[in-house]
Amino acid sequence: MGSSMPDLAKTRQSQPHAKLPQSQKNIINTLNNNVGSSSSSSSSLFSTRHRSVLCMSLSLAIHLGGYELSRATSMALFTSDGLGFGKGTEGGLSALPMAVGCVSPFSVALLWFYGKTLESGGPSYALRTHTLICAGVQIVAGWVLKILDGYLQMMDDNENVKAWSQPLLFVLFVFQNAYVLLLYNQHWAFISSVLTPEEGTRAFAPIAGLGSIGSTLTAASVSVFVDRLGLIGLLHISGASYIVSAVLADVAFGIARIGGFEPGGDAEINNRHGSGDSTRGNNIDTTTSTSATSKGACTTSNGSKEATAATSKSSSHCIPCFKKGNIFQQAYALFQRVPVLGALFLEVIASQCLSSLVNFIYLYKLKSTITDDAVRAGWSGNFYAWINGVSGVFQFCAIPILLKYFEARRIWLFMPTLMLCCTLYTFATFRTSGLFGASACFFAIKTMEYSLRGAANEMLYVSLDYESRYLGKKVISLIAGKFGKSAMAVALSFVMVVYGDKHDTMWYLLAAATVFTFLWLFASVRLHTLIEASK
């Protein structure tokens, strides 16, 4: 930054301010009232780019907070004995693996729909559309469940009510789990596009920490909200949170549009391949940027290249993958051009298989230990508050310090190694540790997903081109992530049908968790080796 950054007023694109709604104009004018047209103003701490990133970061934090409320509600109701699939002391979790298994095919359809919205209106339109859809579903589902719960209170036989509530809760669970990563990654794609690789190494962890703060505060407030508004009332608050998140995201895109650095397909690629990477802060050397884009380079800690996926064609002659065929042909072409994304695809499948299995073990023990729905929702909310709180500490403090002394690619080896220690401990002590053992294992993998994995992923994506950040990221998160969970869900469904809630079921589940931890470790070693070899 500094003298190498051109004047933002000279790089603004042709989108007129008048095209924005008046409400967004007022917000943007308020945010930009102290921003001058000089280079020194652009390079200040509160430059236009940084304001747009701040707005998107707040949008992300509010989105994650809304998701915590929605997750606590849907999971408690799904396993409920009243409206859900619960069967009292018998457990009743047999429907859960089936629901998880349906997430993957729904994610494929969602990815197709996302591709259409991205193609028709760009990233801003896609994020706004999908966030508002998610908000509407939460509000409508909460309204319908409130009516069904009223009928349940008046009727002795709840089978007729369950005939309506169970399909609704099933769909709500699938919808929520498929949509969360889509919206999360759209927020991060904007941030990765606006910040430079050097800025990203300093800012990604605090931005993720801000999201953890939002998640922690809302998760810790679940019990308070349940006491005052009821369990179903959390869905309405969640929907309202998504609407606020959509408004802030629109403001971030509006600031970027006025400043001339809005992420957007052809325009961004033309800038990268022509006059330089002006969409990434206007302070990246043209030659370096073009080279990094053509090779799929990713700059990680301290600006060092952590992965370079060589391609036989220069980026200046490369036809963008999103111009070729359907979404799966595009993804295949992209993985051929950027092999590190293919390795990450396999690593995500292995890790999500383990995450799904550990999640089921945790819910299995939680349901059998705490049978009251409201108490279970409150306990789960506090548990996730601790997960998000510890993740925030990692993001704000631990990760920035560690990256000063260790290269970012070491994270890919650290995560499965730590998880192997946890699964072996839980497997050895499961007869005596009870809920604590299952919770500790789930706590470890979720904390790493929210902190270490998030930081490592964004440092991997930050210097990749538009299609890698917007297409590759979505394919990996929605297809690889959900495929891993769905594959494990199919296996769990088979196990529950064959073994049910027998005494030794937990032994088999934990043995499988240990095996999948080793598979994750092997996939991580391959990814780490590919990154190291391409330095």
Side-chain angles (χ1 to χ4, degrees):
M1 300 179 69
S3 61
S4 62
M5 179 181 294
D7 191 337
L8 282 180
K10 297 179 181 179
T11 59
R12 292 183 178 179
Q13 294 177 344
S14 59
Q15 294 89 341
H17 194 298
K19 289 185 178 180
L20 295 175
Q22 185 62 41
S23 59
Q24 288 188 30
K25 291 183 192 177
N26 296 335
I27 297 175
I28 293 169
N29 288 335
T30 300
L31 289 171
N32 290 335
N33 58 358
N34 292 324
V35 179
S37 61
S38 66
S39 175
S40 60
S41 174
S42 301
S43 61
S44 67
L45 180 61
F46 300 103
S47 68
T48 306
R49 289 190 309 109
H50 294 155
R51 288 170 189 248
S52 68
V53 170
L54 176 60
C55 287
M56 188 59 73
S57 301
L58 292 174
S59 174
L60 174 62
I62 294 175
H63 159 70
L64 293 176
Y67 169 69
E68 289 296 336
L69 297 177
S70 178
R71 172 171 55 186
T73 305
S74 62
M75 184 54 66
L77 291 175
F78 191 95
T79 57
S80 161
D81 297 334
L83 296 173
F85 296 88
K87 298 179 181 179
T89 56
E90 297 179 7
L93 289 182
S94 58
L96 183 60
M98 185 183 301
V100 175
C102 291
V103 172
S104 184
F106 183 79
S107 297
V108 174
L110 183 60
L111 183 62
W112 173 85
F113 180 41
Y114 167 80
K116 291 297 183 181
T117 55
L118 182 63
E119 181 181 352
S120 62
S124 175
Y125 173 76
L127 180 56
R128 182 193 317 116
T129 299
H130 290 280
T131 304
L132 292 179
I133 288 174
C134 198
V137 168
Q138 306 301 315
I139 294 172
V140 173
W143 176 71
V144 175
L145 288 171
K146 190 70 174 178
I147 295 176
L148 294 175
D149 187 58
Y151 281 117
L152 183 64
Q153 302 301 324
M154 297 184 296
M155 299 171 60
D156 295 333
D157 184 11
N158 63 358
E159 293 301 322
N160 291 330
V161 175
K162 280 192 172 184
W164 293 91
S165 63
Q166 286 182 342
L168 177 59
L169 288 171
F170 191 95
V171 172
L172 181 62
F173 179 90
V174 173
F175 179 90
Q176 175 205 87
N177 281 271
Y179 247 106
V180 59
L181 280 179
L182 175 70
L183 297 176
Y184 175 85
N185 283 314
Q186 286 187 69
H187 287 89
W188 273 111
F190 175 90
I191 296 171
S192 299
S193 297
V194 172
L195 294 178
T196 66
E198 292 76 13
E199 291 172 331
T201 58
R202 298 191 301 268
F204 284 153
I207 290 172
L210 184 63
S212 293
I213 291 176
S215 300
T216 302
L217 293 177
T218 51
S221 303
V222 167
S223 298
V224 177
F225 287 136
V226 168
D227 292 338
R228 296 187 178 183
L229 303 174
L231 187 58
I232 298 175
L234 296 184
L235 289 176
H236 298 130
I237 303 177
S238 175
S241 300
Y242 287 136
I243 294 175
V244 175
S245 175
V247 172
L248 286 172
D250 256 5
V251 171
F253 272 103
I255 295 174
R257 187 176 303 119
I258 293 174
F261 51 87
E262 179 187 12
D266 293 337
E268 182 175 351
I269 289 178
N270 289 336
N271 282 330
R272 282 177 173 275
H273 296 170
S275 59
D277 199 344
S278 62
T279 62
R280 298 290 296 279
N282 304 309
N283 61 341
I284 304 176
D285 181 81
T286 303
T287 304
T288 303
S289 175
T290 304
S291 175
T293 303
S294 65
K295 295 181 179 181
C298 44
T299 304
T300 55
S301 66
N302 301 322
S304 63
K305 289 183 179 178
E306 287 292 337
T308 302
T311 179
S312 60
K313 296 183 180 180
S314 170
S315 67
S316 60
H317 302 289
C318 177
I319 300 175
C321 292
F322 60 80
K323 298 293 185 182
K324 305 174 183 177
N326 58 44
I327 190 72
F328 301 103
Q329 292 172 330
Q330 297 169 24
Y332 178 78
L334 178 62
F335 288 173
Q336 290 293 310
R337 182 170 65 83
V338 189
V340 71
L341 292 180
L344 181 61
F345 186 90
L346 297 177
E347 188 271 343
V348 169
I349 290 178
S351 65
Q352 290 308 301
C353 282
L354 177 63
S355 178
S356 180
L357 177 56
V358 171
N359 185 24
F360 182 81
I361 294 172
Y362 160 72
L363 292 174
Y364 187 93
K365 296 296 294 184
L366 179 62
K367 171 64 177 175
S368 62
T369 305
I370 305 176
T371 57
D372 185 85
D373 297 337
V375 175
R376 188 168 63 253
W379 194 94
S380 180
N382 291 331
F383 180 71
Y384 273 101
W386 276 100
I387 291 177
N388 290 311
V390 174
S391 299
V393 172
F394 270 94
Q395 290 155 346
F396 277 115
C397 303
I399 294 178
I401 295 175
L402 290 175
L403 289 179
K404 291 182 179 180
Y405 302 99
F406 301 97
E407 295 180 337
R409 69 177 186 272
R410 306 300 183 191
I411 295 177
W412 303 110
L413 296 180
F414 173 77
M415 291 189 294
T417 302
L418 176 61
M419 199 60 206
L420 182 61
C421 297
C422 293
T423 52
L424 289 175
Y425 169 79
T426 305
F427 182 69
T429 62
F430 78 96
R431 297 188 184 278
T432 57
S433 59
L435 181 59
F436 172 79
S439 300
C441 206
F442 185 61
F443 185 95
I445 195 166
K446 280 299 176 183
T447 300
M448 289 188 293
E449 285 182 0
Y450 291 170
S451 56
L452 296 177
R453 174 173 288 280
N457 282 350
E458 294 312 316
M459 285 186 286
L460 189 70
Y461 285 120
V462 63
S463 62
L464 298 180
D465 56 11
Y466 173 84
E467 45 193 320
S468 295
R469 295 194 309 273
Y470 279 89
L471 174 62
K473 182 182 289 189
K474 303 305 178 296
V475 170
I476 289 175
S477 63
L478 290 180
I479 302 300
K482 299 310 178 184
F483 175 79
K485 289 181 180 293
S486 296
M488 180 54 63
V490 172
L492 288 173
S493 298
F494 175 78
V495 170
M496 297 307 295
V497 169
V498 174
Y499 294 99
D501 294 333
K502 293 182 180 179
H503 181 69
D504 57 351
T505 300
M506 184 58 63
W507 186 91
Y508 288 105
L509 293 175
L510 291 173
T514 304
V515 172
F516 275 96
T517 306
F518 277 107
L519 293 177
W520 181 21
L521 179 61
F522 294 152
S524 298
V525 170
R526 179 178 179 272
L527 175 61
H528 177 271
T529 302
L530 181 60
I531 294 174
E532 187 174 26
S534 62
K535 287 185 63 178

